[in-house]
Coordinates of all heavy atoms in Angstrom, one line a residue:
E363 N 296.6 111.3 -87.1 CA 296.9 111.9 -88.4 C 295.9 111.5 -89.4 O 295.9 112.1 -90.5 CB 298.3 111.5 -88.8 CG 299.4 112.0 -87.9 CD 299.5 113.5 -87.8 OE1 299.2 114.2 -88.8 OE2 299.8 114.0 -86.7
E364 N 295.1 110.5 -89.1 CA 294.1 110.0 -90.1 C 292.7 110.1 -89.5 O 292.5 110.3 -88.3 CB 294.4 108.5 -90.5 CG 295.8 108.4 -91.2 CD 296.0 107.0 -91.8 OE1 295.3 106.1 -91.4 OE2 296.8 106.9 -92.7
N365 N 291.7 109.9 -90.4 CA 290.3 109.9 -90.0 C 289.5 109.0 -90.9 O 290.0 108.7 -92.1 CB 289.8 111.3 -90.0 CG 288.6 111.5 -89.0 OD1 288.1 110.5 -88.5 ND2 288.2 112.7 -88.8
A366 N 288.4 108.6 -90.5 CA 287.4 107.9 -91.3 C 286.0 108.5 -90.9 O 285.8 108.6 -89.7 CB 287.4 106.4 -91.2
I367 N 285.2 108.8 -91.8 CA 283.9 109.5 -91.4 C 282.7 109.0 -92.1 O 282.8 108.3 -93.2 CB 284.0 111.0 -91.7 CG1 284.2 111.3 -93.2 CG2 285.1 111.7 -90.9 CD1 284.1 112.8 -93.6
T368 N 281.6 109.2 -91.5 CA 280.3 109.0 -92.2 C 279.5 110.3 -92.2 O 279.3 110.9 -91.1 CB 279.5 107.9 -91.5 OG1 280.2 106.6 -91.6 CG2 278.1 107.7 -92.2
I369 N 279.1 110.7 -93.3 CA 278.3 111.9 -93.4 C 276.8 111.5 -93.4 O 276.4 110.6 -94.2 CB 278.6 112.7 -94.7 CG1 280.0 113.1 -94.8 CG2 277.7 113.9 -94.8 CD1 280.4 113.6 -96.2
I370 N 276.0 112.1 -92.5 CA 274.6 111.9 -92.5 C 274.0 113.2 -93.0 O 274.1 114.3 -92.4 CB 274.1 111.6 -91.1 CG1 274.8 110.4 -90.6 CG2 272.6 111.3 -91.2 CD1 274.5 110.0 -89.1
D371 N 273.3 113.1 -94.2 CA 272.7 114.3 -94.8 C 271.2 114.2 -94.7 O 270.6 113.2 -94.8 CB 273.1 114.2 -96.3 CG 272.7 115.4 -97.1 OD1 271.6 115.8 -97.0 OD2 273.6 116.0 -97.8
R372 N 270.7 115.4 -94.3 CA 269.2 115.5 -94.1 C 268.5 115.0 -95.4 O 267.4 114.4 -95.3 CB 268.9 116.9 -93.8 CG 267.4 117.2 -93.5 CD 267.1 118.6 -93.5 NE 267.8 119.4 -92.4 CZ 267.4 119.5 -91.2 NH1 266.2 119.0 -90.8 NH2 268.0 120.2 -90.3
E373 N 269.0 115.2 -96.6 CA 268.3 114.9 -97.8 C 268.8 113.6 -98.5 O 268.1 112.8 -99.0 CB 268.4 116.0 -98.8 CG 267.7 117.3 -98.4 CD 267.8 118.4 -99.4 OE1 268.4 118.1 -100.5 OE2 267.3 119.5 -99.2
L374 N 270.2 113.4 -98.4 CA 270.8 112.3 -99.2 C 271.1 111.0 -98.4 O 271.6 110.0 -99.0 CB 272.1 112.8 -99.8 CG 271.9 114.0 -100.7 CD1 273.3 114.4 -101.3 CD2 271.0 113.8 -101.8
G375 N 270.9 111.0 -97.1 CA 271.2 109.8 -96.3 C 272.6 109.8 -95.9 O 273.3 110.8 -95.6
Q376 N 273.2 108.6 -95.9 CA 274.6 108.4 -95.4 C 275.6 108.2 -96.5 O 275.3 107.5 -97.5 CB 274.6 107.1 -94.5 CG 273.8 107.3 -93.2 CD 273.9 106.1 -92.3 OE1 274.8 105.2 -92.5 NE2 273.0 106.0 -91.3
T377 N 276.8 108.8 -96.3 CA 277.9 108.6 -97.2 C 279.1 108.4 -96.4 O 279.4 109.2 -95.5 CB 278.1 109.8 -98.2 OG1 276.9 110.1 -98.9 CG2 279.2 109.6 -99.1
S378 N 279.9 107.4 -96.7 CA 281.1 107.1 -95.8 C 282.4 107.3 -96.7 O 282.4 107.0 -97.8 CB 281.0 105.6 -95.3 OG 280.0 105.5 -94.4
F379 N 283.4 107.8 -96.0 CA 284.7 108.0 -96.5 C 285.7 107.1 -95.7 O 285.7 107.2 -94.5 CB 285.2 109.4 -96.5 CG 284.4 110.4 -97.4 CD1 284.2 111.7 -97.0 CD2 283.8 109.9 -98.6 CE1 283.5 112.6 -97.8 CE2 283.1 110.8 -99.4 CZ 283.0 112.1 -99.0
T380 N 286.4 106.2 -96.4 CA 287.2 105.3 -95.7 C 288.5 105.9 -95.1 O 288.8 107.1 -95.5 CB 287.7 104.1 -96.6 OG1 288.4 104.7 -97.8 CG2 286.5 103.3 -97.1
Q381 N 289.2 105.2 -94.2 CA 290.3 105.8 -93.5 C 291.4 106.3 -94.4 O 291.9 105.5 -95.3 CB 290.8 104.8 -92.5 CG 291.9 105.4 -91.6 CD 292.2 104.5 -90.4 OE1 291.4 103.6 -90.0 NE2 293.4 104.6 -89.9
T382 N 291.8 107.5 -94.2 CA 292.9 108.1 -94.9 C 293.4 109.3 -94.2 O 292.9 109.6 -93.1 CB 292.6 108.4 -96.4 OG1 293.7 108.9 -97.1 CG2 291.5 109.6 -96.4
S383 N 294.4 110.1 -94.7 CA 294.9 111.2 -94.0 C 293.8 112.3 -93.8 O 292.8 112.4 -94.6 CB 296.1 111.8 -94.8 OG 295.6 112.4 -96.0
K384 N 293.9 113.0 -92.7 CA 292.9 114.1 -92.4 C 292.9 115.1 -93.5 O 291.8 115.7 -93.8 CB 293.2 114.7 -91.1 CG 292.8 113.8 -89.9 CD 293.0 114.5 -88.6 CE 292.4 113.6 -87.5 NZ 292.6 114.1 -86.1
S385 N 294.0 115.4 -94.2 CA 294.0 116.4 -95.3 C 293.2 115.9 -96.4 O 292.5 116.6 -97.1 CB 295.5 116.7 -95.7 OG 296.1 115.5 -96.1
K386 N 293.3 114.6 -96.7 CA 292.6 114.0 -97.8 C 291.1 113.9 -97.5 O 290.2 114.3 -98.3 CB 293.1 112.6 -98.2 CG 292.4 112.1 -99.5 CD 293.1 110.8 -100.0 CE 292.5 110.3 -101.2 NZ 293.1 109.0 -101.7
I387 N 290.8 113.5 -96.3 CA 289.4 113.5 -95.8 C 288.8 114.9 -95.9 O 287.6 115.1 -96.3 CB 289.3 113.0 -94.4 CG1 289.5 111.4 -94.3 CG2 288.0 113.3 -93.7 CD1 288.3 110.6 -94.8
A388 N 289.6 115.9 -95.5 CA 289.1 117.3 -95.6 C 288.7 117.7 -97.0 O 287.7 118.3 -97.2 CB 290.1 118.2 -95.0
R389 N 289.6 117.4 -98.0 CA 289.3 117.7 -99.4 C 288.0 117.0 -99.9 O 287.2 117.6 -100.6 CB 290.5 117.4 -100.2 CG 291.7 118.3 -100.0 CD 292.8 118.1 -101.0 NE 293.9 119.0 -100.7 CZ 295.0 118.6 -100.0 NH1 295.0 117.4 -99.4 NH2 296.0 119.5 -99.8
Q390 N 287.9 115.7 -99.5 CA 286.7 115.0 -99.9 C 285.5 115.6 -99.3 O 284.4 115.7 -100.0 CB 286.9 113.5 -99.5 CG 288.0 112.7 -100.2 CD 288.2 111.3 -99.6 OE1 287.9 111.1 -98.4 NE2 288.7 110.4 -100.4
L391 N 285.6 115.9 -98.0 CA 284.4 116.5 -97.3 C 284.0 117.8 -97.9 O 282.8 118.1 -98.1 CB 284.7 116.6 -95.8 CG 283.6 117.1 -94.9 CD1 282.3 116.3 -95.1 CD2 284.0 117.1 -93.5
V392 N 285.0 118.7 -98.1 CA 284.7 120.0 -98.7 C 284.1 119.9 -100.1 O 283.2 120.6 -100.4 CB 286.0 120.9 -98.7 CG1 285.8 122.1 -99.6 CG2 286.4 121.3 -97.3
S393 N 284.6 119.0 -100.9 CA 284.0 118.8 -102.2 C 282.5 118.3 -102.1 O 281.7 118.8 -102.8 CB 284.8 117.7 -102.9 OG 284.2 117.5 -104.2
F394 N 282.3 117.4 -101.1 CA 280.9 116.9 -100.9 C 280.0 118.1 -100.5 O 278.9 118.3 -101.0 CB 280.9 115.8 -99.8 CG 279.6 115.2 -99.5 CD1 279.2 114.0 -100.2 CD2 278.7 115.8 -98.7 CE1 278.0 113.5 -99.9 CE2 277.5 115.3 -98.4 CZ 277.1 114.1 -99.0

Side-chain angles (χ1 to χ4, degrees):
E363 298 299 326
E364 297 191 340
N365 206 350
I367 60 172
T368 297
I369 301 170
I370 306 176
D371 188 306
R372 185 192 295 271
E373 295 183 2
L374 303 179
Q376 295 182 13
T377 303
S378 295
F379 294 148
T380 58
Q381 183 169 339
T382 185
S383 68
K384 285 184 174 176
S385 60
K386 187 172 182 181
I387 285 284
R389 291 187 181 94
Q390 292 173 333
L391 180 55
V392 164
S393 178
F394 182 97

